[in-house]
């Protein structure tokens, strides 16, 4: 199957991650097919659907996603699938044997359900330690009656053992009494939960890349400057750099990724505390910041397509120069929450080379996004007045 002769398929929810993939592929001359997993009727006309780069659109649900993909096989044979979220990636992984006969599917060692195993947060953490990375002090429980709870070192945070088991809603707990009710609720959705000592980070760093078995390309890192919600949110303002060895030898990370025999886009998250990088997790799918390296000359989705089609693509590439990015709405909310002056924000904007929503070559997603949010704000204010 030659994926260069087929249009890639972007699969996701109404999210900037999905939009970023469409733009990465569209700017390189592809006309990507959008398979939008809809949660609300309004999703049919959301900002993601307004990108000029979309070739065809399919609307589906989680339960019918695989069925929808199979129905398109006659016209999309050999297309590469690009999931934009953990849940979508896991659905594709669960049906890998079926889908890989039709499409090029992100995978680990070409085996069905391997991605699910790799996404187990504790297995992932232990594997990172094998390759020499520090990790936060960690406990795993399957019940709040476990004696191990007496060993916790507070403050702590808690996560489902698999990201797709429960919505991401991380908070800090200072006592066992605060933790147990939340852990009980989380254990209704996840068989196990991971508890980690909270690290008051000086900085958070995300490494972005693509992998094709032993070939691992990590062209840049991104340092978070601001995020919303604070401490655990998506990047609002960030700095991209080609200095991938700034915190450790990048070969150490490449060897960790190689150990999975993974093919697909990925990102790896670290927090820096007292100069020490602490491994958090690998995301085996396109990162929400995956569009930005393209500004620096490394269009990761396109390179992956070419690599999987047999082209010779160097895995040693780096972005051409450092630059700032901004996810406008996230950063605006951070500024509002932290009483950051509008004048300072405009000065920060002046440093930015590439934005998440605003794009003069693909303007309608931005216009739609702003229109929808203004309409929502007006509607909420009217509701408050009428109460």
């Amino acid at each position: 199957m030659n994926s260069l002769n087929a249009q890639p398929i972007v699969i996701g929810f109404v999210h900037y991650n999905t939009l970023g993939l469409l733009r990465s592929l569209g700017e390189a001359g592809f006309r990507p097919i959008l398979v939008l997993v809809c949660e609300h009727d309004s999703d049919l006309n959301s900002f993601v659907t307004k990108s000029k780069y979309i070739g065809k659109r399919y609307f589906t649900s989680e339960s019918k996603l695989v069925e929808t993909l199979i129905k398109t096989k006659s016209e999309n044979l050999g297309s590469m699938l690009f999931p934009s979220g953990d849940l979508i990636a896991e659905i594709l992984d669960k049906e890998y044997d079926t889908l890989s006969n039709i499409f090029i599917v992100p995978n680990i060692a070409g085996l069905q359900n391997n991605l699910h195993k790799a996404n187990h947060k504790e297995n992932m953490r232990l594997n990172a330690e094998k390759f020499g990375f520090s990790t936060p002090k960690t406990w795993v429980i399957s019940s709040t009656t476990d004696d191990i709870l007496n060993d916790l070192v507070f403050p702590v945070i808690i996560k489902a053992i698999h990201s797709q088991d429960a919505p991401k809603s991380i908070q800090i707990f200072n006592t066992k009494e605060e933790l147990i009710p939340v852990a009980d609720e989380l254990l209704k959705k996840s068989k196990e939960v991971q508890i980690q000592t909270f690290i008051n980070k000086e900085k958070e760093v995300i490494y972005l890349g693509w992998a094709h078995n032993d070939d691992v390309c990590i062209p840049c890192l991104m340092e978070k400057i601001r995020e919303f919600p604070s401490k655990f949110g998506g990047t609002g303002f960030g700095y991209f750099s080609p200095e991938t060895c700034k915190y450790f030898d990048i070969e150490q990370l490449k060897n960790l990724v190689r150990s999975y025999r993974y093919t697909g886009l990925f990102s790896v998250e670290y927090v820096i505390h007292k100069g020490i990088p602490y491994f958090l997790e690998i995301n085996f799918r396109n990162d929400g910041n995956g569009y930005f390296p393209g500004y620096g000359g490394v269009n990761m989705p396109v390179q992956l397509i070419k690599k999987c089609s047999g082209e010779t693509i160097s895995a040693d590439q780096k972005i051409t120069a450092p630059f700032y990015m901004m996810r406008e709405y996230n950063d605006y909310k951070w500024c509002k929450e932290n009483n950051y002056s509008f004048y300072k924000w405009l000065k920060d904007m002046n440093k930015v080379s590439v934005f998440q929503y605003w794009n003069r070559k693909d303007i309608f997603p931005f216009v739609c996004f702003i229109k929808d949010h203004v309409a929502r704000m007006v509607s909420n204010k009217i509701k408050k007045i009428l109460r």
Side-chain angles (χ1 to χ4, degrees):
M1 295 187 292
N2 187 347
S3 59
L4 288 176
N5 297 328
Q7 294 304 328
I9 300 177
V10 174
I11 312 164
F13 296 95
V14 175
H15 194 273
Y16 53 75
N17 192 324
T18 311
L19 177 62
L21 276 167
L22 292 170
R23 285 175 168 170
S24 291
L25 295 162
E27 288 171 6
F30 287 99
R31 297 283 288 170
I33 295 157
L34 171 64
V35 177
L36 192 68
V37 180
C38 298
E39 299 174 290
H40 312 284
D41 291 341
S42 59
D43 292 352
L44 302 176
N45 289 300
S46 63
F47 70 91
V48 172
T49 67
K50 305 304 180 186
S51 176
K52 74 175 187 179
Y53 297 118
I54 299 170
K56 287 187 178 181
R57 297 168 177 80
Y58 295 92
F59 301 105
T60 189
S61 62
E62 287 177 33
S63 60
K64 294 184 178 180
L65 172 57
V66 174
E67 178 185 337
T68 300
L69 289 170
I70 291 173
K71 282 181 180 178
T72 73
K73 69 178 181 179
S74 60
E75 53 187 322
N76 298 319
L77 190 66
S79 293
M80 174 161 263
L81 304 185
F82 285 97
S84 66
D86 294 322
L87 178 60
I88 304 299
E90 290 257 355
I91 291 172
L92 302 184
D93 176 57
K94 189 176 180 180
E95 298 294 335
Y96 177 78
D97 288 348
T98 299
L99 293 174
S100 62
N101 289 318
I102 308 168
F103 309 106
I104 297 176
V105 187
N107 67 87
I108 289 183
L111 296 173
Q112 184 165 292
N113 293 320
N114 259 16
L115 186 64
H116 180 73
K117 295 172 186 175
N119 275 334
H120 187 284
K121 290 187 184 296
E122 184 61 6
N123 292 343
M124 189 184 290
R125 183 188 72 83
L126 292 172
N127 196 34
E129 286 190 343
K130 287 179 185 177
F131 284 85
F133 289 109
S134 298
T135 66
K137 191 167 179 60
T138 302
W139 302 263
V140 176
I141 64 167
S142 56
S143 167
T144 53
T145 61
D146 286 356
D147 290 339
I148 199 171
L149 286 173
N150 296 320
D151 300 329
L152 299 183
V153 179
F154 290 93
V156 299
I157 59 173
I158 184 172
K159 306 173 189 175
I161 208 72
H162 282 100
S163 295
Q164 79 282 359
D165 287 347
K168 184 178 179 181
S169 180
I170 301 175
Q171 52 186 307
I172 301 168
F173 302 93
N174 294 299
T175 66
K176 191 164 72 168
E177 289 69 30
E178 289 177 5
L179 174 68
I180 285 177
V182 177
D184 277 329
E185 285 302 310
L186 195 53
L187 283 165
K188 292 176 183 177
K189 303 169 185 174
S190 178
K191 290 181 180 179
E192 296 177 306
V193 297
Q194 185 189 61
I195 302 170
Q196 293 186 316
T197 295
F198 170 68
I199 295 177
N200 192 13
K201 63 189 177 187
E202 296 151 8
K203 190 176 290 184
E204 183 170 345
V205 182
I206 300 174
Y207 292 78
L208 299 105
W210 58 260
H212 184 258
N213 296 322
D214 285 338
D215 288 319
V216 178
C217 177
I218 302 176
C220 58
L221 60 80
M222 187 199 74
E223 297 175 342
K224 282 189 179 184
I225 299 171
R226 294 194 288 260
E227 61 186 323
F228 185 86
S230 295
K231 298 188 188 301
F232 306 113
T235 309
F237 187 39
Y239 178 73
F240 273 78
S241 170
E243 297 179 28
T244 53
C245 288
K246 183 175 179 179
Y247 298 101
F248 49 77
D249 184 349
I250 197 62
E251 281 302 312
Q252 185 182 356
L253 177 53
K254 285 188 175 185
N255 286 334
L256 170 60
V257 176
R258 287 186 186 109
S259 73
Y260 287 97
R261 302 286 296 166
Y262 173 62
T263 293
L265 301 172
F266 69 89
S267 64
V268 190
E269 301 174 18
Y270 291 82
V271 292
I272 311 299
H273 179 68
K274 295 184 178 179
I276 299 173
Y278 288 85
F279 171 91
L280 296 183
E281 64 181 359
I282 303 175
N283 299 300
F284 291 106
R285 41 82 178 163
N286 185 61
D287 188 86
N289 302 292
Y291 169 70
F292 300 116
Y295 175 82
V298 183
N299 188 323
M300 298 192 304
V302 173
Q303 289 194 352
L304 182 62
I305 289 175
K306 290 180 177 181
K307 188 68 180 178
C308 290
S309 298
E311 285 198 21
T312 301
I313 302 292
S314 172
D316 295 322
Q317 299 175 69
K318 295 286 186 288
I319 59 173
T320 53
F323 61 87
Y324 290 93
M325 59 70 67
M326 183 177 283
R327 186 165 293 118
E328 308 92 290
Y329 188 59
N330 286 55
D331 206 45
Y332 169 75
K333 289 193 288 185
W334 180 92
C335 293
K336 192 174 179 182
E337 182 184 73
N338 292 276
N339 297 315
Y340 195 72
S341 81
F342 188 66
Y343 173 71
K344 287 183 179 178
W345 190 50
L346 291 179
K347 284 185 69 176
D348 291 341
M349 268 193 167
N350 197 44
K351 300 177 185 176
V352 175
S353 298
V354 56
F355 294 89
Q356 183 75 72
Y357 297 103
W358 168 255
N359 186 313
R360 62 169 54 93
K361 294 179 182 177
D362 187 32
I363 194 171
F364 288 108
F366 174 80
V367 172
C368 182
F369 182 86
I370 295 299
K371 178 177 69 69
D372 288 348
H373 279 269
V374 168
R376 194 173 297 122
M377 285 169 59
V378 171
S379 174
N380 289 338
K381 286 190 177 183
I382 291 172
K383 288 176 182 177
K384 285 182 180 179
I385 292 170
L386 295 177
R387 281 176 187 167

